[in-house]
Amino acid sequence: QVQLVESGGGLVQAGDSLRLSCAASGGTFSIYVMGWFRQAPGKEREFVAVISRSGGNTYYADSVKGRFTISRDNAKNTVYLQMNSLKPEDTAVYYCAADHTVELRTSSYLYDYWGQGTQVTVSS
């Protein structure tokens, strides 16, 4: 059983940056593909970014490509989401998730473990 705890959310202005962290415990972190998802009020949870087990491959949603960067430190059992040039439409609860696979998958239904989420609010 893997436990995931996100941190780093907050209230920022449009154009600002935030870095989210997700600390994992209770399992072998390096065997999991890690993803970030987000859910805005009244909307379905959507894919944001995913990173391979080694960190060598990443994939992004078009809406964040060029602004967000996913990375991981397997020695620290942590995955990060650096968010730059934030927009009001980025406002959501952000979740990290672990997927026991080798594929970079974007469907939330396929992920095995989830954190509790961290709120990101971007004001205009």
Side-chain angles (χ1 to χ4, degrees):
Q1 188 79 7
V2 175
Q3 292 81 43
L4 302 173
V5 179
E6 301 96 335
S7 61
L11 172 62
V12 297
Q13 294 187 331
D16 285 350
S17 298
L18 275 177
R19 188 176 83 153
L20 306 183
S21 300
C22 171
S25 63
T28 304
F29 181 67
S30 60
I31 70 172
Y32 293 95
V33 165
M34 296 300 296
W36 283 97
F37 293 80
R38 66 187 181 186
Q39 188 166 18
K43 295 188 177 181
E44 292 189 357
R45 191 168 297 189
E46 66 173 0
F47 166 76
V48 175
V50 61
I51 189 166
S52 63
R53 297 184 297 179
S54 68
N57 292 295
T58 58
Y59 182 75
Y60 298 91
D62 287 343
S63 58
V64 306
K65 199 172 298 182
R67 298 188 298 123
F68 290 11
T69 302
I70 187 171
S71 61
R72 67 189 294 163
D73 185 338
N74 285 346
K76 295 182 178 180
N77 291 350
T78 302
V79 62
Y80 305 97
L81 186 69
Q82 177 67 43
M83 305 186 295
N84 298 331
S85 302
L86 282 161
K87 305 176 181 179
E89 51 264 44
D90 294 319
T91 295
V93 177
Y94 283 72
Y95 300 89
C96 70
D99 188 7
H100 192 189
T101 182
V102 296
E103 301 175 47
L104 301 188
R105 304 196 284 194
T106 62
S107 172
S108 61
Y109 298 103
L110 299 174
Y111 281 69
D112 301 299
Y113 302 103
W114 291 84
Q116 83 291 346
T118 185
Q119 176 71 47
V120 172
T121 303
V122 184
S123 64
S124 57

